[in-house]
Amino acid sequence: MKRLLFMVLSAGLMLMAACTQKSENAYTITGTADGTQDGDTVFICEMQGFFNLIPTDTTIIKDGKFTFIGDFEGAAVRWLMPVHEGEPTTMAMFVLEKGDIKATLIKGEGESKIEGGPNGKLYDEFMEGSNEIGQQMDAPWRISTDSTKTDAERQAAEAKLDSLNKVMVAYQKKFILDHVPSAVSDMLFGYCSFSFSEEEQEEILKVFGEKQPNFPVYKRIMAERKAAESTEIGQTYTDMKMAAPNGKDIQLSDYVGKSKYVLIDFWASWCGPCRAEMPVVVETYTKYHDKGLEVIGVSLDEDKAAWVAAISELKMPWPQMSDLKGWESEACTVYDVQAIPANVLVDEEGKIIAKDLRGEDLLNKMKELLP
């Protein structure tokens, strides 16, 4: 009996330890927010587009303090935004990363203080160097946009800007490579990669592959490249299984090879350009379905009701599938879908023969294949 009791207690303690053990990527954000009171809300926000802050997490102020607990792989710039009586009191930028982060948020134009981990400190260092170069760009930028200056003065200013831009790109590249392996290098490459030439990108990715292959931006880029290569014209299509509107699973292989051609059409009910394009897809289906064309709709919706309603509204008679995960859909990964509407045309042998056919291009391609 004693032995049984000991075993039960031991198992209980082990279970408690497992439940309380922190994730490898766990973070805790604690802080205070000037100008707020108990019951007010604090948001963690992500920047999307041109200064468009999208909330990704929320908490409530209690006893004058707020706390966020979560998991995050790598590092990313985020904003803390406390709200009092429906209005933000401030917005403070920080680097979200694993570990403990402490925030003192000051109302209005006051300087908030956020003490993060090693990635936050590295990002501050990076921004200090970037700002120094940026300040040097101010004067020539003002001259280059000043209509009262002579052509010669503006051209000289533009040449100076071009030179300083090269200095900035070189600084970004050096900082990224100097701090491999780190989550900051991974994060900064995601933010700055558009500035680099193809050769510079390849150089950085090669180092990442050798020294930090498990960071999220690197993994995402390599997955996108793999998907892009696998969906090039001439490649064999990749099968996918998702739910139809009736809840039953269907897969692309249910249709490929059963018709001469299958158009895999990526769309969503919330996508305006998709809705504008859909009459052409309907016309194409109507003209060529009996001749050997099948269309499979793959939706990036998250709301099933909206998805099903749109199928009816747009009069789409072909099979539909979706995992209702939006941009997190398997389709985005497998077929490198980065914008919609998009499509892939597959022949009866499963080979991809065309991509992103829109409007008259779609009709003309099918007229060529199925005269």
Side-chain angles (χ1 to χ4, degrees):
M1 184 69 179
K2 288 183 178 180
R3 183 179 179 186
L4 178 60
L5 179 61
F6 174 76
M7 291 172 66
V8 170
L9 287 172
S10 297
L13 289 171
M14 289 173 66
L15 179 60
M16 289 175 61
C19 291
T20 58
Q21 186 177 6
K22 277 190 174 182
S23 160
E24 180 183 349
N25 296 312
Y27 67 81
T28 301
I29 304 171
T30 55
T32 58
D34 184 31
T36 61
Q37 60 188 33
D38 282 9
D40 284 345
T41 303
V42 182
F43 294 96
I44 296 177
C45 298
E46 177 182 2
M47 184 75 75
Q48 293 182 5
F50 183 71
F51 208 72
N52 186 22
L53 289 175
I54 305 298
T56 59
D57 199 358
T58 181
T59 192
I60 302 298
I61 293 177
K62 182 178 179 181
D63 298 330
K65 298 178 181 180
F66 64 86
T67 301
F68 289 95
I69 298 175
D71 283 350
F72 192 79
E73 183 181 13
V77 172
R78 294 289 186 267
W79 276 258
L80 285 172
M81 184 174 70
V83 175
H84 175 66
E85 295 182 350
E87 295 293 331
T89 61
T90 190
M91 291 183 292
M93 187 181 72
F94 73 106
V95 172
L96 181 61
E97 59 181 306
K98 65 182 180 182
D100 295 328
I101 300 171
K102 301 185 184 302
T104 303
L105 305 181
I106 305 301
K107 182 179 179 181
E109 300 299 321
E111 186 174 351
S112 297
K113 183 178 181 182
I114 300 181
E115 298 179 12
N119 292 298
K121 293 178 175 63
L122 271 179
Y123 183 70
D124 289 342
E125 181 184 334
F126 170 79
M127 289 305 299
E128 184 177 351
S130 293
N131 290 337
E132 288 178 3
I133 301 171
Q135 288 169 5
Q136 297 176 50
M137 293 180 169
D138 286 345
W141 181 83
R142 285 196 296 270
I143 294 171
S144 70
T145 57
D146 187 345
S147 60
T148 67
K149 300 296 183 182
T150 66
D151 288 345
E153 287 173 323
R154 288 200 299 271
Q155 288 172 5
E158 288 170 1
K160 180 65 173 176
L161 281 174
D162 288 342
S163 176
L164 287 170
N165 187 60
K166 290 177 182 177
V167 171
M168 178 69 84
V169 172
Y171 168 75
Q172 292 170 345
K173 176 185 171 185
K174 184 176 187 304
F175 195 96
I176 289 170
L177 290 174
D178 283 351
H179 295 91
V180 173
S182 75
V184 160
S185 287
D186 184 69
M187 176 186 81
L188 289 176
F189 184 70
Y191 294 154
C192 303
S193 59
F194 68 91
S195 300
F196 302 132
S197 67
E198 186 175 338
E199 291 77 13
E200 288 171 325
Q201 291 185 32
E202 292 300 327
E203 178 185 351
I204 294 170
L205 288 171
K206 183 176 185 295
V207 175
F208 281 9
E210 294 169 351
K211 296 184 178 181
Q212 60 174 52
N214 296 317
F215 283 93
V217 172
Y218 174 77
K219 289 193 293 185
R220 173 179 58 77
I221 290 173
M222 300 312 291
E224 288 173 355
R225 287 186 169 203
K226 182 178 179 181
E229 290 172 0
S230 67
T231 57
E232 289 179 353
I233 292 175
Q235 295 294 320
T236 301
Y237 86 108
T238 302
D239 201 9
M240 290 191 304
K241 179 190 288 187
M242 295 182 187
N246 63 9
K248 294 182 179 179
D249 284 343
I250 62 172
Q251 54 195 40
L252 297 179
S253 56
D254 293 337
Y255 302 94
V256 175
K258 310 297 192 298
S259 298
K260 291 181 179 178
Y261 301 100
V262 172
L263 183 73
I264 307 169
D265 187 53
F266 303 96
W267 71 289
S269 66
W270 46 260
C271 169
C274 300
R275 286 178 170 269
E277 180 72 12
M278 204 56 69
V280 178
V281 184
V282 172
E283 181 183 355
T284 305
Y285 178 87
T286 302
K287 284 185 176 181
Y288 296 102
H289 177 62
D290 290 343
K291 292 184 177 183
L293 171 68
E294 183 60 272
V295 177
I296 308 298
V298 182
S299 168
L300 303 190
D301 275 282
E302 295 182 46
D303 184 330
K304 183 175 180 178
W307 171 42
V308 173
I311 294 171
S312 176
E313 291 166 11
L314 297 170
K315 298 178 172 56
M316 303 156 66
W318 51 83
Q320 296 280 347
M321 57 168 33
S322 180
D323 54 14
L324 297 176
K325 294 181 180 179
W327 286 109
E328 299 301 317
S329 171
E330 178 190 0
C332 296
T333 302
V334 172
Y335 280 91
D336 191 33
V337 177
Q338 300 186 33
I340 51 176
N343 56 50
V344 171
L345 183 62
V346 178
D347 68 14
E348 61 184 340
E349 295 179 353
K351 299 293 184 183
I352 296 171
I353 59 172
K355 296 172 62 175
D356 297 325
L357 296 167
R358 302 277 295 275
E360 291 298 318
D361 289 340
L362 175 58
L363 285 163
N364 290 337
K365 185 66 175 179
M366 294 318 303
K367 183 179 179 180
E368 170 195 324
L369 295 171
L370 297 172

